[in-house]
């Protein structure tokens, strides 16, 4: 099964919400106020949020006037392009790095960090990479056990600290072990934290400093794991985590369950960090690399 | 970050100043802002629409402009309606006639079921009820270990059955509780998507077999528009009797609560407000309403401070205020009271929109409070009672004694003077009535938070 088909099938729920937009694309409905109102509601219901929705619609109205468009079918291709443009973050080609590649994974409680790391480890192991999982969540009960199980399942190596230990010390052990054992990738799982907890964000900064000191460079990737069912708070999450740890990518989880997730458009627009992966299900391989264009096509494809 | 409703409505009413009543178009403008505020707070769009219709009906033609603060009167209408929508007083947990009482926790992955099973157990334990925790989440790796760890921390038994199905585990737990005379069983179930038919059927089976006194839906307060759909499916299939709203210690507005309550009709019984097991609080509709509208949790703050600040202390303070005898000793006293309220950032978070944003910008640092305390403690009694005598050499001595700079002393004194001025005018404004917030607000309202602000 190709990526496109798989994505389309797994996006079942999300696609439902966009079915009316597909209908707009197929019909010659006039661009009257009733249409704009309906359009606005669809976006709001998909968690795009007031600001982003207004931004998208204002832009479309201008283009529609300029292009003398009169029906909805003319508009929808442009809409898709606009959203894709929102989601596409221009990136410099990355310089080759010396192993190990160190990936720090952060996010609020319950967003799916540990599970995402497990899936990521599986994916990397499938590519033949040597992977080390580091359980720097020393706060939540049995968090390390959870990661250990994922390490076992994916055939990755594993480093943990005592429960209640300073997470930065576990990060230190992890990076040292990653170098000593000649790992290709070191994935660091951190405790969930709400972004407005100052001391916990300081703790993240400390982990980052430890990595930088031991590695001679900042973490190669810092992923924020966002739950796709989250509403407008995702913007605050992205902004504050970005301030603390300089994110390089987003992982959007639980996208198979929701017809929403529109808030990521605002998130990417705010922090200008691309979505790297989307979680589309329970199974271990259900974490897909994200490409805006393909994603939107799958979202809008009706058959 | 988010603007509160009061700030958004301000300019609209400024434009309307001097006119008599709110006309249709004025109300439209106001309602648009209310709508945005609610949507930004993640209230379900259909709930918003219905709500606006109700409020609009009340607002058109009401003589809000005759009141001193028209924005406040409209906000009051909106606020009151929101409170009404969320249901009245707090709802208590139901207990079984014949023990054991069974509580079942259900919800999506990552909502916080396991943690809140622990919190609920502690809450009951504090009230003198022992619980048996049943680990019926056999799917998530290490979920059982997590519950076992919580059980150890709480010194409560945890029931597990290796290789068993959730139903067997739950029934085993109830049987064991009956045998051992444990009054309550809390069943932690696996997180599941509402669209996962097989897993939802598993819960139905659990519910039918156990007939729990409460089926508690554990919901993440940060959930967006999806909240309605999720809650509806869970409710349709399981008959939710109560809601636990988690992660309310974040900076989310928590509008999902409204959607969930509207769809299920079930009361919100608890709110999770932190990572510690004791961080479980009863739900207050009025407080959530002001939070959704971005008006801060003033009530909570007032109540918290009232608990800590005795009436006598307050009366004495009021005396001093009126006579303008407010000294640095009192300032220190209040600083300490305020710190008892909780970490500064938690207190400031509860202030209304503008102020809390200001506070966020100022980045309150507990260490600055330490410094302020150190400065005052390094003064002689005479200096504390009469800061006017603080000349350069005294200031230098104090700086050396408290490990700070003379500039810090200067800033503190300036700050203190402002606070004293403000408290004086506040107390005269209230005609001798006791000020509601019995401590000086940092600075006279400007963005400079003085000794509380980080340099």
């Amino acid at each position: 099964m190709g990526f496109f088909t798989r994505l389309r099938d797994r996006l079942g729920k999300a696609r439902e919400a966009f079915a009316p937009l597909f209908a707009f694309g197929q019909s010659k409905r006039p661009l009257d106020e009733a249409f704009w109102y309906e359009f606005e509601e669809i976006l709001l219901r998909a968690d795009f949020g007031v600001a982003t929705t207004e931004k998208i619609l204002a832009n479309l109205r201008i283009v529609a006037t300029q292009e003398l468009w009169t029906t909805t079918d003319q508009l929808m291709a442009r809409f898709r392009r606009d959203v894709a443009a929102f989601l596409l973050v221009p990136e410099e080609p990355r310089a080759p790095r010396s192993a190990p590649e160190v990936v720090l994974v952060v996010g609020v409680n319950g967003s799916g960090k540990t599970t995402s790391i497990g899936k990521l480890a599986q994916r990397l192991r499938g590519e033949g990479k040597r992977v080390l999982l580091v359980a720097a969540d020393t706060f939540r009960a049995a968090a390390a056990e959870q990661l250990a199980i994922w390490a076992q399942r994916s055939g990755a190596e594993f480093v943990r600290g005592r429960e209640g230990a300073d997470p930065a010390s576990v990060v230190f052990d992890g990076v040292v072990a990653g170098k000593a054992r000649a790992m290709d990738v070191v994935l660091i799982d951190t405790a969930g934290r709400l972004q407005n907890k100052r001391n916990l964000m300081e703790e993240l900064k400390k982990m980052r400093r430890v990595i930088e000191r031991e590695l001679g460079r900042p973490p190669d990737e810092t992923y924020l794991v966002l739950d796709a069912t989250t509403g407008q708070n995702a913007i605050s999450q992205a902004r504050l985590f970005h301030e603390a740890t300089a994110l390089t990518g987003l992982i959007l989880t639980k996208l198979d369950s929701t017809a929403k997730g529109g808030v990521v458009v605002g998130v990417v627009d705010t922090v200008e960090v691309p979505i790297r992966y989307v979680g589309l299900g329970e199974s271990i391989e259900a974490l897909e690399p994200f490409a805006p264009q393909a994603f939107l096509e799958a979202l809008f494809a009706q058959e | 970050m988010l603007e509160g409703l009061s700030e958004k409505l301000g300019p609209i009413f400024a434009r309307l100043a001097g006119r008599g009543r709110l006309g249709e178009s004025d109300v439209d403008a106001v309602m648009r802002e209310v709508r945005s505020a609610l949507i930004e707070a993640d209230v379900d769009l259909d709930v918003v629409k219905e709500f606006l219709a109700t409020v609009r009906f009340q607002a058109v033609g009401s003589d809000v402009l005759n009141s001193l603060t028209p924005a406040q009167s409209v906000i009051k209408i909106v606020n009151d309606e929101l409170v009404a929508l969320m249901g009245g007083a707090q709802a208590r947990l139901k207990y079984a006639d014949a023990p054991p009482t069974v509580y079942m926790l259900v919800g999506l992955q990552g909502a916080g079921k396991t943690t809140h099973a622990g919190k609920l157990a502690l809450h009951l334990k504090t009230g003198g009820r022992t619980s048996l925790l049943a680990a019926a989440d056999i799917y998530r790796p290490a979920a059982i270990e997590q519950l076992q760890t919580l059980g150890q921390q709480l010194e409560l038994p945890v029931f597990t059955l290796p290789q068993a199905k959730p139903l067997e585990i739950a029934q085993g737990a109830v049987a064991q509780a009956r045998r051992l005379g444990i009054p309550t069983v809390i069943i932690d179930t696996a997180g599941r998507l509402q669209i996962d038919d097989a897993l939802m059927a598993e819960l139905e089976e659990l519910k039918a077999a156990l007939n729990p006194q409460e089926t508690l839906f554990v919901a993440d307060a940060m959930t967006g528009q999806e909240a309605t759909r999720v809650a509806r499916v869970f409710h349709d299939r399981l008959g939710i009797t109560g809601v636990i709203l988690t992660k309310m210690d974040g900076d989310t507005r928590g509008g999902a609560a409204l959607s969930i309550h509207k769809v299920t009709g079930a009361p919100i019984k608890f709110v999770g407000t932190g990572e510690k097991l004791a961080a479980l609080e009863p739900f207050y509709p009025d407080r959530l309403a002001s939070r959704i509208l971005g008006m801060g949790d003033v009530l909570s703050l007032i109540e918290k401070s009232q608990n800590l600040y005795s009436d006598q202390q307050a009366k004495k303070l009021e005396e001093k205020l009126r006579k303008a005898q407010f000294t640095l000793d009192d300032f220190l006293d209040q600083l300490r009271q305020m710190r008892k309220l909780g970490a500064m950032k938690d207190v400031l978070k509860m202030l209304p929109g503008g102020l809390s944003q200001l506070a966020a910008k100022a980045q309150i640092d507990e260490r600055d409070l330490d410094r302020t305390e150190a400065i005052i403690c390094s003064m002689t009694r005479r200096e504390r009672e009469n800061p006017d005598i603080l000349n350069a050499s005294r200031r230098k001595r104090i700086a050396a004694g408290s490990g700070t700079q003379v500039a810090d002393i200067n800033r503190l004194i300036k700050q203190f003077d402002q606070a004293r001025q403000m408290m004086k005018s506040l107390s005269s404004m209230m005609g001798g009535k006791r000020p509601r917030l019995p401590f000086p607000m940092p600075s006279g309202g400007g963005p400079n938070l003085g000794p509380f602000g980080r340099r």
Side-chain angles (χ1 to χ4, degrees):
Chain A
M1 196 160 55
F3 168 70
F4 180 79
T5 332
R6 206 164 55 231
L7 192 59
R8 200 194 55 200
D9 289 352
R10 294 235 178 90
L11 278 172
K13 272 290 150 194
R15 288 176 56 220
E16 232 172 69
F18 288 90
L21 295 187
F22 176 78
F24 287 156
Q26 299 299 299
S27 79
K28 296 251 176 235
R29 207 178 139 174
L31 296 177
D32 52 13
E33 281 311 306
F35 159 74
W36 289 110
Y37 183 75
E38 221 175 290
F39 197 1
E40 182 192 23
E41 289 211 333
I42 291 167
L43 297 184
L44 289 176
R45 274 183 216 282
D47 279 328
F48 275 76
V50 176
T52 308
T53 299
E54 278 173 5
K55 209 159 154 181
I56 292 174
L57 292 186
N59 189 39
L60 281 177
R61 275 181 193 256
I62 292 169
V63 175
T65 317
Q66 279 169 353
E67 303 283 332
L68 304 174
W69 287 338
T70 53
T71 54
T72 52
D73 53 341
Q74 296 164 307
L75 198 69
M76 295 322 286
R78 176 63 189 226
F79 166 69
R80 212 189 304 182
R81 227 178 71 197
D82 284 358
V83 175
F86 257 111
L87 292 179
L88 198 72
V89 178
E91 284 182 89
E92 313 250 317
R94 286 186 296 196
R97 324 157 157 145
S98 52
E101 177 174 346
V102 174
V103 182
L104 185 65
V105 180
V106 301
V108 299
N109 317 59
S111 57
K113 284 175 297 302
T114 309
T115 307
S116 294
I117 287 178
K119 292 177 179 177
L120 208 53
Q122 183 83 345
R123 167 172 287 277
L124 292 164
R125 292 288 300 142
E127 293 168 9
K129 298 253 173 67
R130 291 164 58 83
V131 179
L132 174 69
L133 303 189
V134 181
D137 179 353
T138 54
F139 181 79
R140 181 167 63 86
E145 282 76 5
Q146 189 180 348
L147 194 68
I149 293 170
W150 281 109
Q152 205 177 15
R153 283 186 191 169
S154 60
E157 297 201 24
F158 179 65
V159 168
R160 66 170 296 175
R162 270 177 303 108
E163 215 157 271
D166 180 358
S169 73
V170 186
V171 168
F172 173 84
D173 292 345
V175 175
V176 170
K179 287 197 291 195
R181 300 187 205 169
M183 290 289 137
D184 295 311
V185 186
V186 175
L187 297 173
I188 302 171
D189 187 21
T190 62
R193 64 201 72 219
L194 295 176
Q195 69 275 18
N196 58 342
K197 308 258 170 181
R198 232 188 136 63
N199 51 342
L200 294 181
M201 297 310 271
E202 289 296 328
E203 186 184 273
L204 271 189
K205 288 186 196 168
K206 183 174 172 192
M207 288 186 233
R208 202 182 145 79
R209 282 197 302 273
V210 167
I211 294 171
E212 191 156 2
R213 202 179 59 213
E214 290 314 308
L215 199 64
R217 58 174 192 266
D220 299 293
E221 300 282 357
T222 304
Y223 292 145
L224 172 68
V225 179
L226 280 177
D227 179 335
T229 57
T230 303
Q232 299 310 307
N233 191 251
I235 305 230
S236 160
Q237 289 176 24
R239 181 178 296 150
L240 294 178
F241 273 103
H242 193 44
E243 267 174 37
T245 56
L247 304 172
T248 62
L250 307 171
I251 298 179
L252 195 60
T253 61
K254 312 183 199 175
L255 199 62
D256 52 327
S257 76
T258 179
K260 321 295 177 192
V263 70
V264 305
V265 174
V267 165
V268 175
D269 191 38
T270 306
V271 294
E272 295 186 9
V273 164
I275 303 169
R276 290 276 186 236
Y277 295 96
V278 288
L280 292 167
E282 298 270 81
S283 68
I284 193 160
E285 55 300 326
L287 186 76
E288 298 277 358
F290 179 81
Q293 207 59 49
F295 178 75
L296 284 163
E297 250 149 55
L299 207 56
F300 281 90
Q302 288 301 296
E303 283 318 317
Chain B
M1 43 161 282
L2 284 175
E3 239 187 323
L5 186 61
S6 35
E7 289 92 70
K8 282 184 178 167
L9 290 183
I12 298 181
F13 284 102
R15 225 172 38 237
L16 298 175
R19 284 204 262 142
R21 279 158 189 267
L22 285 189
E24 286 268 350
S25 65
D26 307 329
V27 172
D28 277 346
V30 172
M31 288 304 129
R32 253 197 306 280
E33 292 301 340
V34 176
R35 175 175 181 265
S36 295
L38 295 176
I39 293 170
E40 284 299 301
D42 294 321
V43 180
D44 178 82
L45 189 59
D46 289 321
V47 177
V48 172
K49 283 158 93 175
E50 203 183 314
F51 177 76
L52 287 182
T54 321
V55 173
R56 155 179 273 285
F57 178 75
Q58 294 190 35
V60 176
S62 69
D63 34 47
V64 288
L65 284 184
N66 289 342
S67 62
L68 275 175
T69 50
Q72 292 303 322
S73 354
V74 170
I75 287 167
K76 190 172 179 334
I77 297 176
V78 172
N79 188 66
D80 291 352
E81 272 309 308
L82 270 184
V83 173
L85 200 61
M86 278 183 285
Q90 306 159 33
R92 293 178 176 280
L93 287 172
K94 287 191 282 287
Y95 299 115
D97 297 333
T101 298
V102 178
Y103 300 142
M104 185 165 116
L105 269 50
V106 301
L108 295 179
Q109 291 97 335
K113 283 174 299 302
T114 308
T115 303
H116 282 79
K119 286 186 181 183
L120 189 59
L122 176 60
H123 170 82
L124 293 169
K125 193 182 172 194
T126 311
R129 275 180 86 93
T130 307
S131 305
L132 175 64
L133 292 159
D137 178 357
I138 56 169
Y139 302 101
R140 178 163 61 90
I144 294 171
E145 286 86 339
Q146 187 182 350
L147 198 65
Q148 279 171 331
T149 310
L150 293 177
Q152 271 167 23
Q153 285 171 15
L154 296 167
E155 296 175 338
L156 288 173
V158 176
F159 185 86
T160 61
L161 263 187
Q163 315 293 327
K165 295 219 164 66
L167 180 62
E168 292 162 359
I169 295 169
Q171 284 177 325
V174 173
Q176 173 141 331
R178 192 167 289 133
R179 206 164 47 241
L180 299 178
I182 299 173
T184 325
V185 180
I186 298 172
I187 299 169
D188 178 33
T189 67
R192 61 203 74 214
L193 298 177
Q194 77 283 7
I195 50 169
D196 190 327
D197 198 54
L199 282 180
M200 290 304 288
E202 181 189 283
L203 281 184
E204 285 173 327
E205 198 188 12
L206 267 182
K207 167 126 190 176
L210 300 172
N211 196 18
Q213 274 62 49
E214 298 270 7
T215 304
L216 299 168
F217 179 57
V218 181
D220 184 332
M222 300 182 283
T223 313
Q225 298 280 322
E226 184 73 356
T228 320
R229 185 201 296 254
V230 179
R232 184 174 292 130
V233 177
F234 271 92
H235 186 55
D236 285 352
R237 298 190 72 153
L238 299 167
I240 291 163
T241 62
V243 178
I244 299 179
L245 199 63
T246 66
K247 308 180 202 173
M248 278 294 275
D249 48 329
D251 58 6
T252 179
R253 287 275 157 93
L258 206 62
S259 317
I260 294 168
H261 176 69
K262 179 85 181 153
V263 169
T264 62
I268 295 162
K269 301 213 167 178
F270 293 101
V271 175
T273 54
E275 297 194 338
K276 299 210 173 74
L277 286 172
L280 187 73
E281 292 176 8
F283 172 72
Y284 298 100
D286 43 348
R287 295 179 191 178
L288 186 68
S290 28
R291 178 162 171 167
I292 287 175
L293 297 175
M295 298 195 297
D297 204 351
V298 182
L299 278 172
S300 294
L301 181 61
I302 290 171
E303 186 174 275
K304 261 191 169 181
S305 66
Q306 276 171 348
N307 284 343
L308 287 168
Y309 216 81
S310 76
D311 266 14
Q312 273 182 348
Q313 276 174 303
K315 265 199 195 112
K316 241 168 74 187
L317 176 67
E318 184 214 320
E319 256 328 91
K320 289 187 166 175
L321 282 175
R322 256 189 295 162
K323 295 182 187 156
Q325 282 175 345
F326 187 65
T327 68
L328 274 164
D329 262 331
D330 301 316
F331 190 77
L332 180 64
D333 192 33
Q334 295 205 7
L335 190 70
R336 287 176 175 158
Q337 292 292 343
M338 189 154 60
R339 299 189 76 167
K340 260 201 252 168
L341 278 180
M344 267 307 282
K345 53 187 186 304
D346 293 335
V347 175
L348 286 161
K349 232 171 42 202
M350 291 190 266
L351 296 173
L355 270 175
S356 62
Q357 279 166 34
L358 212 116
K361 260 186 238 142
Q363 303 202 328
I364 300 308
D365 189 330
E366 293 283 318
R367 277 170 302 186
D368 282 329
L369 297 185
D370 290 339
R371 215 168 291 143
T372 303
E373 221 176 299
I375 291 175
I376 298 180
C377 288
S378 299
M379 294 178 183
T380 64
R381 175 164 296 175
R382 240 184 91 211
E383 285 164 347
R384 291 189 218 180
E385 275 165 12
N386 186 12
D388 298 334
I389 64 168
L390 287 171
N391 56 24
S393 94
R394 281 177 191 270
R395 287 181 197 221
K396 229 154 109 189
R397 190 204 79 237
I398 294 163
S402 57
T404 55
Q405 307 293 319
V406 173
D408 294 320
I409 320 279
N410 296 342
R411 198 167 15 240
L412 170 66
I413 297 306
K414 201 172 147 208
Q415 206 54 51
F416 168 72
D417 280 339
Q418 281 175 2
R420 187 163 55 172
Q421 278 305 317
M422 197 175 74
M423 291 305 273
K424 206 175 149 190
S425 57
L426 194 67
S427 116
S428 64
M429 223 166 66
M430 298 179 117
K433 257 194 294 173
R434 177 147 55 90
R436 298 295 311 267
L437 296 176
F439 50 79
M441 302 315 293
S443 99
N448 171 23
L449 281 177
F452 307 133
R454 176 184 279 171
R455 282 161 297 279

